[in-house]
Amino acid sequence: MPTRPQENEELVSDFNAYYANFWMQLAVFHFKLPHAKLWAGLVCLVAWMYGTFALCLLLYATIIYTIWTFAAPDGSHHADSSSRLNVLLGRSWRVSQPDSTLRSNNNVSITVFKGKYFAAYRNADWHWPSKHASLLVATASHPAGPWKLVWKHKTGEDLREMLLFELHGTLFLYYCSIDSGFLGTFNVKGTRCFLSQDGVTWSSPEGRGNGLVSRPGELIWDVKVVPQDDGEPVVYKTSYMGGHYQAGGANMEVLFEQSRNGLDWTPCGSSKDGVVYRGGISEVAFEFTQRGDLVAIGRNEDGDSSGFGSQLFFASSGDLGQWQALAQSLPWRFDSPRFCRVDATGDVLLLARYTYQKYAAAPSWLPLKVQEAVNIVLYSVRPKTAAVFRLAPAESWAGTSGPWHTCKPIELVRFFEHGLAVADTGFFSVVPRPHTKDSWYVANYSAAGHSHAWWVAGQLASSHVYVAELRVEEEEVPGY
């Protein structure tokens, strides 16, 4: 599909355009890489004849060649979803506005409040922790826009992980603050909250020091407001605490708790302290099935005894505090996960980042911290996109052990719109479309780039927040 001229500046960042031009000038390198042994011999020969500078140049050219000749694998590790499930994705509308300095827009949450759409998102100079980060709130009468910026919050800390939801006629805005230093100082200070009656004027809850609605160091990742038979909705949330991105690592705690006021939390079911998991998992999204059971997926980036990648969880409606996990993690990562449930079929859909390769790349016999380092480095220099998946019914995967040569529990349905989910992309947010069954507006962010840009390159490039309609229809297909 040809790129529309007015979108050229947004779809190709300066960083990638520079290297595209560079590579076109080096046409002499336009050949397929030789066999590994021959290539290693060539590297040694160049180093012996011309010294380390030529060696560095050769390796540099190899890296650029690899980037610009990336081709997506012919097949996917994920089985295709049943043809009866037809997921339609409309055109994307941009929420954030271009800025020559503060070019990074991400970590978005979207909701409907008093007939208007509100989006909260992070704005900074890059994706990594930054003292220039701000929390922005924009509003529109329709996701197509125009979006108007109505509120800005800046503290000198890095602000991210925004969550918007309505409870008892009040709009809640959760966010997390961390130190504004480099990634190694991902020091979570806790989840804070602002309240609003109109979406424009915001204030901290009374009696809450700095708006804190969590334990110190706790990051709330997913929230759902669930109606109850007594008419009083319950807010459920997943969160995590521990040494994520720290030297200790693999010592996180995942919590699942409930609240009646969105401010105070109590454990669910038989859990005494709200902790449902301990190990290397951080971001966890959850959904309730039509029977009231809980399914969840967690990003196992730091690793544990079950491996690296993603972990699936199940809890019966009779005890939501007792989570059952896979004996072996799925070796693929589904970052920034969010769930939504199709009422017509009962299917649970997963919106998440799509990776072309397994995350668990390092041999399992290596020390855990070495595996973690190798996996994250390889993950950072590979391309990403976004997709809609179907979660297979829990009875087909709960308690199973693998090994996972194919990702049977999670089936691929479709990819996001081309060009608007590349490189650094994710942080999905869904809000039901009013008066339309099994239809949502879904927000995400994407770097400005192309389909084979490195993830880490996308984190340094400009990025924007987009929103599109997602609709599910059940097709009558013979044989299904």
Side-chain angles (χ1 to χ4, degrees):
M1 179 183 297
T3 303
R4 292 186 289 270
Q6 63 268 28
E7 293 183 351
N8 282 347
E9 185 175 351
E10 298 172 21
L11 296 182
V12 182
S13 67
D14 293 339
F15 177 86
N16 291 323
Y18 170 80
Y19 284 115
N21 180 69
F22 170 82
W23 192 251
M24 290 299 294
Q25 299 303 318
L26 295 181
V28 68
F29 288 105
H30 283 192
F31 59 89
K32 290 188 176 181
L33 294 180
H35 189 274
K37 292 181 179 179
L38 179 61
W39 186 247
L42 179 61
V43 169
C44 294
L45 178 63
V46 169
W48 175 69
M49 294 180 61
Y50 301 106
T52 56
F53 175 77
L55 176 61
C56 292
L57 181 61
L58 180 62
L59 293 177
Y60 175 77
T62 304
I63 292 173
I64 301 305
Y65 178 88
T66 303
I67 296 175
W68 283 96
T69 57
F70 171 81
D74 295 332
S76 170
H77 293 292
H78 314 287
D80 289 336
S81 178
S82 166
S83 297
R84 67 173 178 78
L85 196 64
N86 195 14
V87 177
L88 309 175
L89 187 65
R91 62 168 294 186
S92 295
W93 301 293
R94 193 182 67 198
V95 177
S96 52
Q97 299 301 315
D99 189 302
S100 60
T101 303
L102 302 176
R103 306 182 305 149
S104 179
N105 300 279
N106 44 54
N107 292 38
V108 60
S109 181
I110 186 172
T111 193
V112 174
F113 181 66
K114 295 184 177 179
K116 291 186 176 182
Y117 289 87
F118 288 88
Y121 58 97
R122 174 185 178 271
N123 172 252
D125 47 348
W126 60 9
H127 185 106
W128 293 346
S130 170
K131 64 181 179 181
H132 303 293
S134 298
L135 189 167
L136 305 183
V137 175
T139 185
S141 58
H142 187 275
W147 286 87
K148 178 183 178 182
L149 184 65
V150 294
W151 191 68
K152 178 179 180 179
H153 180 63
K154 185 176 181 180
T155 64
E157 304 166 307
D158 191 81
L159 309 175
R160 55 181 61 206
E161 267 63 339
M162 290 64 171
L163 291 170
L164 283 170
F165 65 93
E166 179 183 356
L167 182 65
H168 302 308
T170 297
L171 188 58
F172 285 66
L173 171 55
Y174 285 178
Y175 70 99
C176 173
S177 62
I178 63 175
D179 289 335
S180 56
F182 192 64
L183 188 62
T185 60
F186 198 86
N187 179 28
V188 178
K189 298 181 178 180
T191 299
R192 301 171 183 171
C193 175
F194 285 111
L195 306 177
S196 178
Q197 301 302 316
D198 57 8
V200 176
T201 303
W202 296 85
S203 61
S204 298
E206 292 185 8
R208 298 272 170 171
N210 211 11
L212 197 66
V213 290
S214 71
R215 302 164 181 82
E218 179 183 1
L219 191 156
I220 298 178
W221 174 255
D222 198 9
V223 168
K224 291 189 183 299
V225 181
V226 181
Q228 303 295 307
D229 294 337
D230 60 5
E232 288 293 321
V234 172
V235 184
Y236 293 95
K237 62 95 170 168
T238 54
S239 59
Y240 67 90
M241 302 175 60
H244 190 40
Y245 292 132
Q246 303 299 319
N251 60 351
M252 265 86 75
E253 294 180 334
V254 173
L255 300 97
F256 182 69
E257 296 178 302
Q258 61 186 351
S259 173
R260 290 282 184 172
N261 62 6
L263 303 174
D264 303 295
W265 303 95
T266 57
C268 297
S270 61
S271 175
K272 303 301 182 183
D273 55 4
V275 177
V276 293
Y277 164 88
R278 289 182 172 88
I281 293 174
S282 51
E283 302 170 357
V284 177
F286 69 98
E287 183 57 273
F288 293 101
T289 67
Q290 287 183 327
R291 295 187 300 184
D293 299 327
L294 178 142
V295 289
I297 185 170
R299 182 184 72 176
N300 194 357
E301 182 176 31
D302 291 4
D304 59 17
S305 59
S306 71
F308 289 82
S310 298
Q311 181 60 271
L312 294 179
F313 297 96
F314 172 82
S316 69
S317 58
D319 190 353
L320 295 176
Q322 187 65 38
W323 285 25
Q324 180 183 359
L326 299 174
Q328 181 177 339
S329 287
L330 300 173
W332 298 272
R333 269 179 62 167
F334 298 90
D335 287 347
S336 300
R338 300 292 182 205
F339 282 122
C340 59
R341 192 184 72 206
V342 181
D343 289 337
T345 63
D347 288 301
V348 174
L349 298 182
L350 168 66
L351 296 92
R353 187 178 290 159
Y354 179 93
T355 58
Y356 298 94
Q357 298 90 3
K358 292 181 180 180
Y359 177 70
S364 58
W365 48 263
L366 290 173
L368 193 67
K369 294 305 296 181
V370 176
Q371 291 184 59
E372 179 186 352
V374 171
N375 290 337
I376 191 62
V377 168
L378 293 178
Y379 184 84
S380 298
V381 296
R382 288 172 170 175
K384 311 287 181 286
T385 185
V388 182
F389 306 87
R390 172 184 176 268
L391 182 66
E395 52 266 23
S396 69
W397 51 260
T400 55
S401 60
W404 302 105
H405 301 296
T406 59
C407 194
K408 292 182 179 180
I410 300 178
E411 302 169 349
L412 177 63
V413 179
R414 62 155 301 149
F415 291 104
F416 270 61
E417 187 174 358
H418 174 70
L420 300 181
V422 295
D424 182 25
T425 181
F427 216 94
F428 306 91
S429 178
V430 292
V431 57
R433 182 184 177 189
H435 316 299
T436 307
K437 186 177 181 181
D438 292 333
S439 180
W440 302 264
Y441 288 113
V442 55
N444 73 297
Y445 76 90
S446 174
H450 50 76
S451 61
H452 49 284
W454 290 7
W455 179 49
V456 68
Q459 290 183 312
L460 299 174
S462 61
S463 59
H464 279 294
V465 170
Y466 301 93
V467 61
E469 181 189 354
L470 180 73
R471 185 185 305 170
V472 179
E473 297 177 353
E474 186 178 14
E475 293 280 346
E476 293 185 4
V477 179
Y480 289 95

